[in-house]
Amino acid sequence: DAPAGGYSPEQALKYSQGVLGNHVSDYLFTDQHQRQVQLSSFSGKPLVVSFIYTSCYHFCPTITRNLKHVMDIAEETLGGDRFNIVTIGFDTAVDTPGRMRQFARELKISNENWWFLSVDENNIGPLTREFGFLYYASPRGFDHLAQITILDQEGRVYRQIYGTDYTPQHMIEPLKELIFGQAKRLPTGISDWIDNIRLFCTVYDPSTGRYHFDYSIFMALLIGLLCLGSILVFVIHAWRARQVRSDTGRAG
């Protein structure tokens, strides 16, 4: 069982990190438009997951505003069609689809790849345990981890991100790794070459808090490839010339 109130930061971190690499089960939700949604419907793309409760008037809105700021930068950098986001209400008695819809409207969130989900009371316990998310009732409502989880394309827990003051880099770098495959495969087509170039040439600028495409890196890669090509042409030309001289010598 998860530690209850009074758990130490070390216990909470151990509990949360303990689910890394685990596959999350296929839970059923209701979205803010009263539609049934399976967690498996988001497979195939990285999924960013946050837990909130809608009657929170400070901490959860702060977490979600910062997440929107970072996700907007992620969309600029990676493309909004490359990943999805869900916000799940864990106060099942209150966080109805209508309340989740209102929460999204108040925070001016209308991203097409972002869903606000309600879950029933029978599933919230197993769900939060699989995500390594801790919460418990308190006089203020609920105390809970400030945690964002990233699932990989197969629904495994890939990264946990904590707090409200993380930089875009903390969130976007794991998404880059998942989307572009960490350049582990050799490029087999134009799209693979483009992904590899975007992986290496899209860099974070701490002074602006945003990403940009560093053309100097691209030019260095291009010049390197041209140099390798020139060397290869020279070697082939020298080899052919040697073959011609050898053939001529035998003919004489």
Side-chain angles (χ1 to χ4, degrees), residues 47-51 85-88 131 147-151:
L47 182 65
V48 178
V49 182
S50 69
F51 288 90
I85 316 152
V86 297
T87 294
I88 301 171
F131 275 91
Q147 172 182 302
I148 307 293
T149 301
I150 298 178
L151 301 185

Side-chain angles (χ1 to χ4, degrees), residues 48-206:
V48 178
V49 182
S50 69
F51 288 90
I52 59 94
Y53 68 103
T54 58
S55 57
C56 175
Y57 294 104
H58 176 65
F59 199 51
C60 291
T62 299
I63 291 173
T64 309
R65 286 190 189 96
N66 191 50
L67 181 60
K68 174 173 171 50
H69 169 69
V70 173
M71 290 296 92
D72 286 346
I73 296 174
E75 289 189 19
E76 294 174 6
T77 306
L78 306 172
D81 61 339
R82 307 299 291 269
F83 62 93
N84 290 311
I85 316 152
V86 297
T87 294
I88 301 171
F90 63 79
D91 184 4
T92 58
V94 176
D95 297 337
T96 63
R99 287 290 294 267
M100 297 299 287
R101 184 170 61 252
Q102 180 183 353
F103 184 83
R105 186 184 301 120
E106 288 173 352
L107 295 177
K108 298 180 173 58
I109 297 174
S110 58
N111 307 52
E112 292 184 0
N113 60 338
W114 196 329
W115 285 259
F116 287 78
L117 305 178
S118 300
V119 61
D120 66 55
E121 62 178 344
N122 293 325
N123 284 327
I124 189 61
L127 173 69
T128 53
R129 284 194 291 272
E130 290 197 44
F131 275 91
F133 177 76
L134 289 169
Y135 73 98
Y136 62 93
S138 74
R140 296 171 293 183
F142 291 94
D143 285 343
H144 60 91
L145 281 177
Q147 172 182 302
I148 307 293
T149 301
I150 298 178
L151 301 185
D152 68 13
Q153 290 89 329
E154 285 75 45
R156 293 184 294 264
V157 179
Y158 184 73
R159 190 70 54 86
Q160 305 280 38
I161 298 163
Y162 307 103
T164 59
D165 57 352
Y166 55 85
T167 68
Q169 191 177 21
H170 289 121
M171 184 77 67
I172 296 174
E173 288 303 316
L175 290 174
K176 280 177 63 179
E177 293 168 6
L178 290 173
I179 292 169
F180 299 136
Q182 295 178 294
K184 290 179 180 177
R185 65 184 186 278
L186 291 174
T188 58
I190 293 176
S191 62
D192 285 342
W193 280 107
I194 292 173
D195 279 353
N196 283 348
I197 290 170
R198 289 182 68 184
L199 173 63
F200 288 111
C201 298
T202 304
V203 296
Y204 179 68
D205 183 355

Side-chain angles (χ1 to χ4, degrees), residues 10-70:
E10 292 76 17
Q11 288 175 314
L13 181 63
K14 181 179 180 180
Y15 182 81
S16 176
Q17 290 287 301
V19 303
L20 289 174
N22 292 354
H23 189 276
V24 177
S25 303
D26 190 16
Y27 290 91
L28 178 67
F29 302 92
T30 304
D31 75 5
Q32 69 270 37
H33 303 297
Q34 299 283 352
R35 299 173 298 199
Q36 299 293 293
V37 179
Q38 294 279 156
L39 189 64
S40 59
S41 64
F42 300 105
S43 63
K45 298 179 182 180
L47 182 65
V48 178
V49 182
S50 69
F51 288 90
I52 59 94
Y53 68 103
T54 58
S55 57
C56 175
Y57 294 104
H58 176 65
F59 199 51
C60 291
T62 299
I63 291 173
T64 309
R65 286 190 189 96
N66 191 50
L67 181 60
K68 174 173 171 50
H69 169 69
V70 173

